[in-house]
Amino acid sequence: TTVPHLKRSRPRITLCAMARSLALLMCVGSLAVAHGFVTPVGLRSVVSTPSVNKLPHAAASAARLASPLSPRMSLTPSSVAHPDQVIVGSPLPILYVYDHCPFCVRARAIFGAKNIKHEVRFMANDDIDTPTKLVGKKIAPIMEIPTKSEVMMESLDIVKRIDEDASMGPSILLPGTDRTDLKAWQKKHQDLFRSLQRPRYVASGLLPEFALKAGRDAFVKNHPVPPFEKPDWKSDNYDMATRYAKYNECMGKTAELLPEANKAVEELEGMIFSAKHCSESGFGYDDIELFARLRSLTIIKNLNLGAKTKGYLEYMAAKFDIPLYDQMAL
């Protein structure tokens, strides 16, 4: 006897099933973009000239949905120990900052390290009115403590004020040790990293201070790329199209500059004592200042940070509650 062939019926695909599948794909795609596994079209383009320098729709959506989040800043509880959260009253203390600004990172760091509940307000880079009303000029960071009618500028003054305030917990910072080796390293490679970092700050449009074209224009006009000096760069010798063209030139030199940058960061390995503090004496002002400077390295894609440097940045990012830029690196 023979076994009759079974008749294979084609599965019926309903509109409802198709809709569910499409929704699932869109959800997965959105998560991939948000966590840096997939890049939205146009997000990694080089800085455009002023006439077309607009934040891509995909980047605008990402900026509205979430602040820059490093893939290493996972959604699991941090392994870094923090003191109990301090709430000093309502309204909360406010920090007026730019995300890219190392001086602003200093002020944010002490609030994060002491686990003081506060509000972070990112100012547009062309916002003159907000800081002027607070302290009489355009500057960042600015700290405001509404419950004490107190307003303060200058990053290290803010750090000292918060660290030494017993009402916000005991002091946690050791004095600075005048790390001349780290200062010399920064000065030695200053032009190199300005060439790599400054164009990248504005290229994505994801940093809140650069969400609008006016903010990007203000930064480009006031921050030269090497070899230009600020007085000449800001003069009438150059229009905005020329300035953007120079930023584009720096982006175009990435393949040339990256090997040099990789050699530069190798030097840091012998200067960082451990992930928990860069100086042998312990955690203190040295870390506030070093992390503020090194954080911007993570905006450079394919920069080969050594194990010590990488571990230090990841630990401090968690301790200070300030994400790195890995997810949006260009």
Side-chain angles (χ1 to χ4, degrees):
T1 61
T2 59
V3 179
H5 293 291
L6 296 176
K7 184 178 180 181
R8 297 181 180 178
S9 60
R10 295 183 179 179
R12 298 178 62 187
I13 302 176
T14 65
L15 288 177
C16 182
M18 292 176 65
R20 285 197 299 268
S21 298
L22 180 59
L24 179 61
L25 285 172
M26 292 176 67
C27 179
V28 171
S30 298
L31 287 171
V33 170
H35 289 280
F37 301 118
V38 177
T39 303
V41 175
L43 186 58
R44 296 188 184 275
S45 60
V46 176
V47 184
S48 57
T49 58
S51 60
V52 296
N53 186 27
K54 298 179 181 179
L55 181 63
H57 293 300
S61 298
R64 285 193 297 270
L65 289 171
S67 59
L69 178 69
S70 163
R72 291 190 286 256
M73 298 286 284
S74 66
L75 299 180
T76 57
S78 171
S79 60
V80 177
H82 287 91
D84 292 338
Q85 188 175 70
V86 177
I87 301 178
V88 296
S90 180
L92 295 171
I94 303 166
L95 288 176
Y96 298 85
V97 300
Y98 307 127
D99 191 85
H100 76 279
C101 168
F103 307 106
C104 298
V105 171
R106 291 174 177 176
R108 294 171 64 187
I110 188 60
F111 275 85
K114 293 190 74 172
N115 200 12
I116 300 166
K117 192 171 179 61
H118 63 290
E119 180 181 348
V120 179
R121 293 188 184 176
F122 294 104
M123 300 182 289
N125 203 251
D126 63 321
D127 182 357
I128 297 174
D129 290 345
T130 298
T132 301
K133 288 177 181 177
L134 288 164
V135 295
K137 61 180 178 179
K138 185 180 186 298
I139 193 172
I142 300 170
M143 178 188 71
E144 181 182 14
I145 305 180
T147 56
K148 299 184 178 182
S149 300
E150 181 179 355
V151 177
M152 177 182 285
M153 56 184 180
E154 299 298 339
S155 60
L156 291 181
D157 289 344
I158 293 171
V159 172
K160 185 175 187 294
R161 162 73 178 83
I162 298 304
D163 183 50
E164 296 179 357
D165 190 331
S167 70
M168 301 182 188
S171 173
I172 61 173
L173 297 178
L174 291 174
T177 61
D178 190 26
R179 290 290 302 272
T180 55
D181 56 338
L182 291 171
K183 292 176 182 177
W185 181 88
Q186 291 175 42
K187 185 175 181 180
K188 175 183 176 182
H189 301 296
Q190 177 177 272
D191 283 352
L192 169 63
F193 286 110
R194 281 181 176 175
S195 297
L196 287 165
Q197 291 167 350
R198 286 183 172 178
R200 284 166 168 77
Y201 291 150
V202 296
S204 72
L206 283 176
L207 297 185
E209 58 265 36
F210 304 131
L212 300 176
K213 177 179 177 295
R216 300 193 290 277
D217 285 353
F219 182 85
V220 171
K221 182 176 181 179
N222 290 303
H223 294 81
V225 288
F228 298 91
E229 298 294 331
K230 181 172 280 192
D232 181 41
W233 179 266
K234 293 178 65 176
S235 72
D236 293 335
N237 294 335
Y238 308 99
D239 58 16
M240 288 304 297
T242 301
R243 295 185 183 106
Y244 271 103
K246 296 301 179 182
Y247 266 53
N248 274 314
E249 286 180 15
C250 283
M251 289 289 285
K253 292 179 180 177
T254 297
E256 172 189 339
L257 297 176
L258 192 57
E260 186 179 347
N262 283 329
K263 289 182 180 179
V265 295
E266 283 179 11
E267 300 170 14
L268 289 170
E269 291 294 282
M271 301 181 195
I272 295 174
F273 181 77
S274 74
K276 296 183 177 181
H277 44 88
C278 65
S279 299
E280 187 173 1
S281 55
F283 175 73
Y285 277 86
D286 290 348
D287 298 295
I288 294 283
E289 296 192 45
L290 183 62
F291 176 78
R293 288 293 180 184
L294 296 189
R295 176 184 180 237
S296 290
L297 294 177
T298 62
I299 204 168
I300 306 169
K301 186 178 180 182
N302 295 326
L303 183 65
N304 296 324
L305 297 174
K308 264 192 175 181
T309 306
K310 184 185 297 185
Y312 177 80
L313 283 170
E314 292 174 0
Y315 180 89
M316 290 300 164
K319 186 177 184 69
F320 295 143
D321 195 13
I322 303 176
L324 303 176
Y325 289 131
D326 303 78
Q327 182 268 342
M328 56 179 291
L330 300 176

